[in-house]
Amino acid sequence: MTQTALVTGAASGMGRIVAQRLAAAGHRVAALDIDPEGLRVTADRSPNTHTYLCDVSDPEQVRAVVDKVRGELGTIDRLVHAAGMAHVHASALNHDVAQIKKMIDVNYIGTVNLCQAVIPAMKQAGTGTVVLFASVAGWLPSPGMAGYSASKFAVIGFIESLSYELRDSGVRLLGLCPPVVETAFLDKVRAENESVLGGASGMSPESVVDALERALAKPANPLFVFPGQAYPTYLVRRFAPGFLRRVVARMVKPTE
């Protein structure tokens, strides 16, 4: 049965990969982003991909686009919210507050906006799948990443709270927490201040989406999925936080 999937952040990176794979599998895909050219590339040679410009931080835009998608493509069966942004700065004490606010608005408030616009209809129908992109940075803060980590901490807290509301509702919820991933997103972080990465390279975006698909293929997915190195990082953070703090402090020394 053909279903409709709404994918944000679909103009590049992991959002693009998710949108293209869902379209190839026969889904009607609503691809959302603020980048019209990137959306055009995502939808190229995919007649069942439909593109929509949307700033996820704007609740009115989100509601209007969701209503439009439902009117044009039908009931939304799957939400994959991959849209996000990052600014990094060597010191949390002089990081531009406007940049921090923008990250909160896009990464956290954007998540709330999409969930409030899409999930109530899923609950009413008793079915649906919701994938929300978080980050291992929401579990492991590091020097130079205070604003970004805080925005992803908020997303993780929101997912945990939302999971209680969706229990026994028929709506599947999954929080994806990748480590550093080699995408244009990471290129922008490197251009802004590469020192905050401590020399780390990332896993491939395809591998992250593979992990997501494996989790959803199971009868009951875990609430959070940690692809690649994110899982051992999460375990060490949970069971040996002092040791991990020492490792991070030794490896990551941001410079202005």
Side-chain angles (χ1 to χ4, degrees):
M1 181 177 63
T2 301
Q3 294 188 329
T4 297
L6 187 154
V7 183
T8 71
S12 63
M14 291 178 286
R16 171 179 285 171
I17 294 169
V18 170
Q20 290 178 331
R21 288 191 184 184
L22 287 171
H27 289 72
R28 293 182 296 264
V29 176
L32 277 60
D33 209 293
I34 59 172
D35 175 6
E37 177 58 23
L39 285 175
R40 185 195 65 76
V41 174
T42 298
D44 191 34
R45 296 188 299 276
S46 180
N48 50 328
T49 298
H50 307 259
T51 62
Y52 302 84
L53 292 176
C54 183
D55 177 354
V56 299
S57 69
D58 184 330
E60 293 183 2
Q61 279 192 44
V62 170
R63 285 193 296 269
V65 168
V66 168
D67 287 344
K68 187 175 183 181
V69 169
R70 287 190 177 118
E72 295 178 352
L73 305 182
T75 300
I76 297 170
D77 305 285
R78 179 173 298 195
L79 167 64
V80 181
H81 178 45
M85 66 169 299
H87 285 295
V88 296
H89 195 71
S91 173
L93 301 181
N94 59 14
H95 193 172
D96 184 350
V97 173
Q99 288 188 345
I100 296 174
K101 183 178 185 301
K102 184 63 176 177
M103 285 188 283
I104 294 293
D105 286 345
V106 172
N107 297 344
Y108 173 52
I109 300 301
T111 300
V112 176
N113 289 339
L114 264 297
C115 289
Q116 290 186 347
V118 174
I119 293 178
M122 289 181 171
K123 285 185 67 178
Q124 186 172 8
T127 184
T129 299
V130 176
V131 177
L132 304 176
F133 276 54
S135 171
V136 75
W139 300 91
L140 175 64
S142 61
M145 303 284 283
Y148 179 70
S149 286
S151 72
K152 291 300 186 177
F153 263 75
V155 171
I156 288 165
F158 181 78
I159 291 170
E160 288 224 46
S161 294
L162 181 62
S163 70
Y164 291 102
E165 295 186 40
L166 297 183
R167 187 176 180 179
D168 301 323
S169 69
V171 180
R172 297 180 74 177
L173 175 64
L174 186 149
L176 186 65
C177 301
V180 176
V181 184
E182 292 293 342
T183 62
F185 183 98
L186 185 60
D187 291 339
K188 292 177 182 177
V189 171
R190 287 192 174 113
E192 197 166 47
N193 192 327
E194 188 171 10
S195 70
V196 304
L197 298 174
S201 58
M203 70 184 295
S204 73
E206 292 82 6
S207 297
V208 175
V209 179
D210 289 344
L212 167 62
E213 291 177 346
R214 287 194 297 270
L216 291 176
K218 297 176 182 178
N221 57 263
L223 180 58
F224 293 104
V225 170
F226 300 90
Q229 285 299 115
Y231 188 59
T233 299
Y234 164 75
L235 291 178
V236 177
R237 166 68 170 172
R238 181 175 179 184
F239 295 110
F243 168 77
L244 189 58
R245 283 181 59 84
R246 291 192 294 273
V247 170
V248 170
R250 185 174 68 250
M251 293 181 61
V252 184
K253 298 182 183 297
T255 58
E256 292 291 349

